[in-house]
Amino acid sequence: MSQTPNPQPAGRLTISSIARLYAEGKRIAMLTAYDYPTARTLDDAGIPMLLVGDTVGQVMLGYDSTVRVTMTEMLHHIKAVVRATRHALVVADLPFLSYGVTTEASLENAGLMLSEGGAGAVKLEGGERSARTIETIVRAGIPVMGHIGLTPQSIHQLGGHKVQGKTRDAGRQLIADAVAVQEVGAFALVLELVPEELAAAITQRLHIPTIGIGAGAGCSGQVQVITDLLGMSDEFTPKHARHYAELYSIVKAAAEAYQADVIAGTFPGPAESSRIDAATLDEILRVTPTSRPEMVESSRGIPLDRDL
Ligand code: KIV
């Protein structure tokens, strides 16, 4: 397999571009993105697929699980990521219960991710149990990425963030789930917290790319949560994540240095300030207290004669 980064495409990538990367045997890097500046940087770095994951709830909004995230919150972040990017295929996570309850609601919400959010595809959780929903959405012309293994929206049912598919029956069910998602037309499949041997075997059996997270190197691609990758928190980092930067310490040190400068009066300095010519300043300040009585009170304590 080639390990060279993909050249920047002329326009926005589509699911056909992803299928081409897969057909060429190139491993696919996907990252989550939730905001404009980060998405812009990841796009400039040539990341072909950005996932606006419902992890936004935990890593950006401070919820204790993804179950709390709403369509309105998702759309808010999706729009920012779409505005920021020129190349990446933006995949929008469908939040808890926005799909799979009624066909109408699933279709409407998936449609909103494209028509209002501007995303190029949606992602939803579940294997065989979500197959009919995926089929309906795909038939409406909306590309779908599946997601099996650990499915965080079912965390209350699964009883925690545990590796999935470790018993004979659970492993066989995962294979059945993967095949079901592929057969109803998904263009790619996230495998989360799956033993690497099983994830590799699933990848071998499918003809769509698998995107692993905590599923070993045998998947067709990988996805990571951007805040884990950048080391943006001093709290828990999952076992499957690798810090490629330590932004928590960098940002904290910057904030501390800034505060120290403010307290010392060394920020802002001449380079960060603007000046006015002395004559104009003189004219501005030549308002006598008697002509503007209300100024007397409000100007007390302000050193109007200081060297601006
Ligand atoms: O919401 C998310 O970020 C995800 C990834 C962990 C795959 O679903």
Side-chain angles (χ1 to χ4, degrees):
M1 285 201 194
S2 165
Q3 297 301 300
T4 49
N6 310 309
Q8 276 294 26
R12 175 83 67 181
L13 292 175
T14 64
I15 59 167
S16 308
S17 329
I18 302 305
R20 200 168 316 118
L21 291 176
Y22 172 67
E24 289 167 358
K26 293 192 172 151
R27 293 195 187 97
I28 302 160
M30 177 159 95
L31 284 169
T32 68
Y34 315 102
D35 64 83
Y36 184 95
T38 312
R40 207 178 128 97
T41 309
L42 302 182
D43 199 47
D44 287 348
I47 301 294
M49 268 198 294
L50 293 180
L51 170 66
V52 188
D54 58 1
T55 40
V56 68
Q58 289 161 294
V59 302
M60 292 284 145
L61 304 177
Y63 294 150
D64 57 0
S65 83
T66 59
V67 166
R68 309 278 295 279
V69 178
T70 65
M71 274 295 292
T72 307
E73 287 167 337
M74 286 303 302
L75 282 166
H76 179 75
H77 289 272
I78 290 158
K79 287 184 203 172
V81 169
V82 170
R83 282 193 293 268
T85 50
R86 288 173 300 152
H87 306 301
L89 171 64
V90 176
V91 181
D93 234 352
L94 281 168
F96 183 55
L97 295 189
S98 68
Y99 60 95
V101 180
T102 67
T103 307
E104 293 73 21
S106 304
L107 253 186
E108 185 183 343
N109 288 324
L112 282 172
M113 295 303 197
L114 273 62
S115 63
E116 190 180 326
V122 300
K123 177 170 83 58
L124 61 88
E125 296 180 4
E128 285 183 329
R129 70 179 162 92
S130 293
R132 291 283 77 79
T133 305
I134 296 174
E135 185 172 42
T136 307
I137 297 174
V138 170
R139 282 199 175 162
I142 301 168
V144 176
M145 173 180 279
H147 182 160
I148 64 169
L150 189 277
T151 46
Q153 292 172 9
S154 313
I155 201 68
H156 296 294
Q157 201 166 38
L158 297 173
H161 288 82
K162 300 176 195 151
V163 175
Q164 303 294 303
K166 286 178 81 172
T167 64
R168 189 193 63 176
D169 288 352
R172 285 184 177 168
Q173 182 58 50
L174 266 189
I175 295 175
D177 283 337
V179 172
V181 168
Q182 169 181 271
E183 293 314 306
V184 291
F187 75 95
L189 176 64
V190 169
L191 299 178
E192 180 165 356
L193 288 193
V194 175
E196 60 179 347
E197 304 85 345
L198 184 56
I202 291 172
T203 302
Q204 292 293 319
R205 278 172 166 75
L206 299 188
H207 53 74
I208 58 171
T210 57
I211 310 292
I213 174 162
C219 297
S220 326
Q222 300 292 325
V223 58
Q224 285 286 291
V225 172
I226 188 66
T227 49
D228 292 337
L229 193 95
L230 298 180
M232 286 174 74
S233 165
D234 68 335
E235 294 169 349
F236 167 78
T237 300
K239 172 176 153 56
H240 59 70
R242 185 184 295 173
H243 284 191
Y244 282 82
E246 296 296 344
L247 286 200
Y248 176 82
S249 350
I250 292 174
V251 171
K252 185 162 172 275
E256 286 165 354
Y258 162 72
Q259 174 161 240
D261 284 354
V262 170
I263 290 170
T266 55
F267 179 85
E272 295 102 1
S273 306
S274 54
R275 298 182 63 82
I276 189 171
D277 67 87
T280 311
L281 179 64
D282 190 49
E283 282 179 42
I284 293 169
L285 299 183
R286 220 180 296 133
V287 180
T288 64
T290 43
S291 64
R292 298 280 307 276
E294 73 279 10
M295 293 284 287
V296 176
E297 203 45 47
S298 65
S299 68
R300 251 186 214 135
I302 300 174
L304 293 177
D305 58 349
R306 79 178 180 148
D307 183 13
L308 295 173

